[in-house]
Amino acid sequence: MTSQPPDLPESSGHSGPMAPTTPPIDPDPGWWQRQLPPSPLARRLSVQSILFAVGEGTFITGSAVFFTQIVGLSAAQVGVGLTVAGLVSFFLAVPAGKLADRVGTKRIWAISAGLTAALYLLWPFIDGFVAYVAMMVVLEAVSVAGWNGRGAYTLDIFSKEERVESLAFMRAALNIGFTIGALIGGAALATNNDDVVRAVPVLTAAILALNTFWITRLPEPPAKEPTHDDDQLIKPGALKNRAFLGLMTADGVLGTNQVLLNIVIPLWLVEETDAPRVLLAFLFGTNTVMAVLLQVAAARGVDSVARSLRASYISAFFFVLSCLIVLVTHDTLGWVTILLVWVGHVTVTGAELFQSAGSWGYQSELTDPDQRAEYQGAAHIGHTAGSVWAPALFTWLAMEHGTTGWLVIAAIVLVATATMRTTSRSAERYLERTTMSTGGPR
């Protein structure tokens, strides 16, 4: 499975005197500078990303133990709660985005972060299935509004040239934060003490409260010019942009690299190869290191629809290559199996890095500046439609049908990727038409 800073670029998707400016960035930074976010704003948002991920990661690491031993649930009940929460997120995505556009993206993000921190304080008092589901639903409703606000804020606050690279630094920071959170959560579990486990959500709440404060200290996004009532009546909602929804659905299919990464390849390793199970730890370690060190490199230069498509094509190449590598490990032995499974995990991580870069590029270039958060919700719906079926289908294909199954998985990804050029161009034309019909860019 965030935040912001001081001086900003000359344009953040809006024109006019309200847009903030940032001092020019050194055109030839040294190696060390290239490993850091490119602007004070990106650095502040990366710190916020770490704060958020440490808090969430601390709780998530021990959540299975917390839900079963403290709340008293079965594994099946935990799964039901997560499914219900996912449905809530799906149906509230666009309404929550509209709310964020109306209330203000930074404001709704900060409110959501504060409410999330407060809700975590209630976890130690939750008992039983009904209370658990109610808590998950409320948390998800609050979170989806915050994520829409955050996504729209980051698109508005950065200039077009800075957006994708800055988002890549923020993603790398998230991975660092989740790693730290996992260590904290793991240390709590290692005590084998229920009181310590019960205190974990309280620690999470404290960290998320600090995250909320950090968000409130971020700069305001560029002011939008006031809209006229008749313009608002004419401008269609994000769900009307069917080409954008189609593009995000295909992008969601590409995003099923996470299903291979976290579910299918580990199951395949355990049940269909002779590789030692301890290899799983090295696989996930490799993924984390690559996500931290290479995400920015993968995203660099993705500042147009054409370059976003290129990133998607590279992602699809790595995805298919991973399928072809892993499928042969059913018949290999010893160190050959170990090496091939590891390379297969490396290539699917490459698919993850370039898919993320392409997705950020599409959302930067193909969303209406006046409806950023609503488009974030539409993107969420598209991604869900493109991926929600994958865990069951991909696992069945690979584990039950072997080579044929892996080839079908690869074919699904190739077909989805083949549609992206057409849908991206259609989404671009749609945005141009709606902008012209409402009087041009604001």
Side-chain angles (χ1 to χ4, degrees):
M1 15 232 222
T2 18
S3 300
Q4 295 64 36
D7 297 317
L8 322 174
E10 209 165 300
S11 164
S12 330
H14 296 279
S15 59
M18 299 301 296
T21 58
T22 43
I25 299 170
D26 182 354
D28 186 28
W31 180 88
W32 175 246
Q33 283 84 357
R34 288 196 297 270
Q35 311 314 307
L36 298 175
S39 68
L41 177 59
R43 289 193 281 274
R44 288 176 65 181
L45 280 165
S46 296
V47 170
Q48 182 276 330
S49 297
I50 291 175
L51 284 173
F52 167 81
V54 170
E56 290 278 339
T58 297
F59 181 75
I60 290 171
T61 301
S63 60
V65 174
F66 183 88
F67 292 147
T68 54
Q69 294 187 10
I70 305 302
V71 183
L73 306 175
S74 67
Q77 288 175 322
V78 173
V80 169
L82 292 171
T83 300
V84 172
L87 289 171
V88 168
S89 176
F90 182 83
F91 287 109
L92 288 183
V94 169
K98 290 182 177 180
L99 176 65
D101 283 325
R102 183 178 296 273
V103 173
T105 54
K106 179 190 166 187
R107 181 180 300 172
I108 205 73
W109 179 22
I111 292 172
S112 169
L115 288 174
T116 300
L119 286 168
Y120 268 97
L121 291 175
L122 299 179
W123 270 124
F125 304 102
I126 297 297
D127 183 32
F129 179 65
V130 174
Y132 158 72
V133 171
M135 181 68 160
M136 291 298 293
V137 166
V138 174
L139 261 176
E140 194 65 29
V142 169
S143 295
V144 72
W147 278 105
N148 284 346
R150 172 189 179 272
Y153 175 91
T154 53
L155 292 178
D156 281 339
I157 201 72
F158 289 115
S159 70
K160 174 182 175 179
E161 294 74 22
E162 285 186 306
R163 279 177 195 152
V164 173
E165 184 176 0
S166 297
L167 289 168
F169 274 105
M170 291 165 62
R171 169 65 70 85
L174 277 175
N175 279 284
I176 293 171
F178 277 120
T179 301
I180 296 171
L183 293 174
I184 296 172
L189 293 177
T191 65
N192 288 318
N193 186 314
D194 282 355
D195 290 334
V196 174
V197 174
R198 189 176 282 107
V200 165
V202 178
L203 175 60
T204 291
I207 298 171
L208 294 182
L210 179 59
N211 170 63
T212 303
F213 174 76
W214 193 270
I215 293 170
T216 64
R217 306 305 297 171
L218 294 171
E220 294 296 327
K224 297 180 180 180
E225 295 181 18
T227 58
H228 301 292
D229 291 340
D230 55 346
D231 284 348
Q232 290 183 333
L233 290 173
I234 293 171
K235 180 162 286 190
L239 291 180
K240 295 289 187 180
N241 190 342
R242 292 184 176 85
F244 180 78
L245 282 174
L247 177 64
M248 290 297 98
T249 299
D251 190 49
V253 176
L254 265 185
T256 58
N257 57 68
Q258 294 298 293
V259 176
L260 256 61
L261 194 74
N262 297 314
I263 300 174
V264 182
I265 290 179
L267 284 175
W268 179 266
L269 180 150
V270 170
E271 297 189 16
E272 302 294 334
T273 77
D274 67 339
R277 296 185 179 187
V278 70
L279 179 61
L280 289 171
F282 291 95
L283 296 182
F284 288 113
T286 298
N287 172 259
T288 299
V289 171
M290 289 180 66
V292 171
L293 297 182
L294 300 179
Q295 181 65 83
V296 174
R300 189 164 286 132
V302 180
D303 56 3
S304 66
V305 174
R307 291 185 176 184
S308 298
L309 280 169
R310 178 176 175 272
S312 295
Y313 295 155
I314 295 173
S315 173
F317 168 77
F318 278 126
F319 200 128
V320 171
L321 183 60
S322 180
C323 292
L324 298 178
I325 291 171
V326 174
L327 72 84
V328 305
T329 60
H330 179 72
D331 300 313
T332 56
L333 297 173
W335 282 102
V336 174
T337 303
I338 292 173
L339 177 63
L340 288 176
V341 171
W342 180 78
V343 172
H345 219 255
V346 167
T347 51
V348 81
T349 300
E352 173 190 359
L353 301 180
F354 283 97
Q355 181 269 330
S356 297
S359 186
W360 295 328
Y362 297 131
Q363 293 178 54
S364 171
E365 297 299 309
L366 298 176
T367 58
D368 189 327
D370 290 332
Q371 299 171 296
R372 290 279 196 211
E374 184 177 344
Y375 267 84
Q376 289 289 305
H380 177 78
I381 288 175
H383 285 146
T384 301
S387 61
V388 68
W389 42 267
L393 180 61
F394 284 6
T395 301
W396 177 73
L397 285 170
M399 305 307 293
E400 298 297 327
H401 298 280
T403 297
T404 301
W406 281 106
L407 293 176
V408 171
I409 292 171
I412 290 171
V413 171
L414 288 175
V415 169
T417 307
T419 68
M420 297 179 83
R421 178 177 294 275
T422 299
T423 53
S424 62
R425 287 178 174 174
S426 296
E428 210 166 14
R429 290 193 296 268
Y430 178 91
L431 206 58
E432 290 172 357
R433 289 196 305 270
T434 55
T435 299
M436 290 174 61
S437 69
T438 54
R442 304 195 187 288

